[in-house]
Amino acid sequence: MADTASDALSSAPSPQGGAEAGARVSPAELLLLASVFVVAACGLVYELAAGSLASYLLGDSVLQFSTIIGAYLFAMGVGSWLSRYLERQLVAHFLRIELMVGLCGGLMPAVLFAAHSVLPASAMGNFRTLLYGMVLLVGILVGLEIPLVMRILKRQFSHRYALKDLVAEVLTFDYLGALAVSLAFPLLLVPQLGLIRTGVFFGLLNVAVAAWALWLFRAELRTWRAHALACLLSALVLGAAMAGAKPLTSWAEDRFYGEGIVQRLDTPYQRIVLTHGHGATKLYLNGNLQFSSRDEYRYHEALVHPAMTAQGSPRRVLVLGGGDGMAVREVLRHPAVQQVTLVELDPAMTRLFSQDERLVALNSGSLKSPKVRVVNADAFSWLDQHDEVFDVIIVDFPDPTNHAIGKLYTTTFYALMDQHLSAGGYAVIQTTSPLVARKSFWTVVSTLEAVGLSTTPYHAHVPSFGEWGFVLAHRRPWRVPANWQAALPRGLRFLSPAALPGLFVFPPDMARVPAEPNRLSSQGLVHTFEDEWGQVR
């Protein structure tokens, strides 16, 4: 096979065979090394996109990312091993592999998203088969890339590089590409483009690398026109996918949520979707329902008022999570309150629920109250870095579906929380369903008790969720206040002095069961929660 391009680009060989001192680096050499950067970036994006989609759609982010990364790296190893059998026409093989990677990897998020929306819940095994099948396919193709690039570079620039120098150059650009994408993926790409368009965009970059190789090695390719046509068709397919990404996302999410979507937003932390239909507005975070305007008052009244009334006259209140402002709305019903500090990780949540007219109406403009201080920070870190003390702490986090949230249900976190609770203060934690996830509920109770807090569990029926649980945590003994009538704010739609005592009674099917505390080192609650809820999905 003629090395016409190599002859045109090379200069006299070095007698030592290493990098030639003072030799000018050619544009072709730089661009080939830049191609390594792009190839590495694209490969990591497909891996991150698959892991993110699996986390969004299947839950338990640690499990999903771990198995996706493991399968992907295994497949890359298989691809690297298979590259030894590609001995001739290396450039032609590289071109074909780049186009296949661009198409398979670039379209993978779109295919998986659409498949999850079409397949019924009973067919999630088929979805997992498709997910891991695509991950293995893309991983094998990506594993073929770097060995081929390295062999092409060695052939083209053997006069400049010894093997050890070539390996160092290629791996340097490979790791730099991985670094750039690992930072850009959560901070820039997903928030700005979304998962589907991010995948397609990097698929187009793979096609661009193929097109560049096509031009550089045009003199030695036997079927140049066929490869040029393949590049053009691949670019057209991915271009059409980029144009259709938004309609596809809308169609898939409409099928998944079953109601009209009025707001969808990707943030560095989560996927926020708001729907409105059948007279109710609903909030979903990463596909999990957070509230329905039809009955959210039941949940938030039950969450807030038992702790507030038990304390008696709370002045300083801390709300952790609850960026929708609903819990803050209930807190502000108590006239003794002087300051509410809301710590919410995602600024997009607090911004959305303080600016959107429909949502502001739902939380009664609570986030705009002069009594409310909004802090966008990680609750764990914020508690660790501040020493303020509060009369009531309201913990309104999402359920422990993954380890990132599960850390907020551990002995470590509750010990931090305890340090911010006044001597006569009360904390309340939303704690999943004691009926569906019975052991998970009592695990939270055991975890609070393990740090020295007394607990008073209770539950309420919220139609959107079913029977839902809460736990009061305190230092002084708790008893049913004799003055419920005077302590409860007026205008409540769910709680009443007559109904309150019944919330603290647990029938046999929700009664306490043995459960170990949830510790940061193991986070057994995440697995218990997934097992219990997985039986009813």
Side-chain angles (χ1 to χ4, degrees), residues 115-393:
H116 186 268
S117 301
V118 171
L119 291 172
S122 59
M124 281 301 101
N126 295 334
F127 174 77
R128 287 183 171 88
T129 300
L130 176 63
L131 168 66
Y132 286 98
M134 295 197 74
V135 166
L136 290 171
L137 173 61
V138 174
I140 289 172
L141 293 172
V142 170
L144 286 164
E145 288 178 306
I146 296 301
L148 286 180
V149 169
M150 197 173 294
R151 289 162 66 184
I152 292 169
L153 280 167
K154 183 70 174 74
R155 189 194 69 185
Q156 294 300 113
F157 303 108
S158 60
H159 62 286
R160 287 183 51 80
Y161 291 102
L163 180 60
K164 64 183 179 64
D165 300 315
L166 178 63
V167 171
E169 290 277 5
V170 169
L171 292 182
T172 297
F173 278 84
D174 182 57
Y175 296 145
L176 285 174
L179 172 65
V181 162
S182 66
L183 296 174
F185 186 82
L187 301 177
L188 178 64
L189 295 171
V190 173
Q192 296 300 319
L193 296 177
L195 275 175
I196 291 180
R197 285 190 292 179
T198 294
V200 173
F201 174 75
F202 279 84
L204 286 168
L205 287 183
N206 275 123
V207 173
V209 169
W212 152 242
L214 178 68
W215 178 84
L216 178 62
F217 299 104
R218 60 193 181 279
E220 67 178 81
L221 286 168
R222 298 174 182 176
T223 54
W224 186 88
R225 289 186 178 180
H227 285 96
L229 180 61
C231 286
L232 177 61
L233 290 175
S234 298
L236 289 174
V237 169
L238 290 167
M242 180 68 81
K246 188 173 182 179
L248 173 62
T249 303
S250 300
W251 169 81
E253 288 188 330
D254 285 343
R255 284 185 60 92
F256 179 75
Y257 294 110
E259 294 173 324
I261 296 175
V262 296
Q263 183 74 256
R264 60 186 104 223
L265 185 63
D266 280 305
T267 79
Y269 307 104
Q270 57 201 345
R271 173 73 169 171
I272 301 172
V273 173
L274 280 161
T275 68
H276 185 76
H278 308 292
T281 298
K282 296 180 181 179
L283 170 68
Y284 294 87
L285 299 181
N286 294 339
N288 297 310
L289 178 66
Q290 302 302 303
F291 74 74
S292 167
S293 61
R294 190 185 303 278
D295 54 24
E296 58 81 15
Y297 66 91
R298 281 179 160 253
Y299 171 89
H300 290 104
E301 287 183 14
L303 172 70
V304 171
H305 298 301
M308 296 289 286
T309 53
Q311 201 282 336
S313 184
R315 296 183 179 183
R316 293 170 54 83
V317 178
L318 174 64
V319 179
L320 302 175
D324 52 40
M326 308 293 189
V328 175
R329 176 196 67 202
E330 298 302 318
V331 169
L332 293 174
R333 290 178 180 269
H334 293 260
V337 171
Q338 296 177 355
Q339 185 186 68
V340 183
T341 300
L342 170 67
V343 180
E344 161 63 44
L345 176 64
D346 195 344
M349 276 287 290
T350 51
R351 185 167 54 248
L352 185 63
F353 279 84
S354 61
Q355 295 178 356
D356 186 287
E357 291 184 4
R358 177 182 294 169
L359 303 177
V360 170
L362 286 177
N363 63 31
S364 300
S366 62
L367 299 183
K368 297 181 178 181
S369 170
K371 294 183 178 181
V372 176
R373 175 177 58 143
V374 176
V375 179
N376 292 122
D378 175 75
F380 203 114
S381 300
W382 190 88
L383 288 176
D384 191 37
Q385 295 165 9
H386 293 77
D387 56 5
E388 299 174 57
V389 174
F390 299 89
D391 300 314
V392 172
I393 298 177

Side-chain angles (χ1 to χ4, degrees), residues 44 82 223 294 306 321 340 413 506:
L44 184 58
L82 290 174
T223 54
R294 190 185 303 278
V340 183
F413 179 80
F506 282 78

Side-chain angles (χ1 to χ4, degrees), residues 9 44 198 221 244 319 374 402 420-421 447 450 455 460 463 490 513:
L9 295 168
L44 184 58
T198 294
L221 286 168
V319 179
V374 176
N402 58 62
H420 294 264
L421 198 61
T447 306
T455 60
R490 294 186 178 183
V513 294

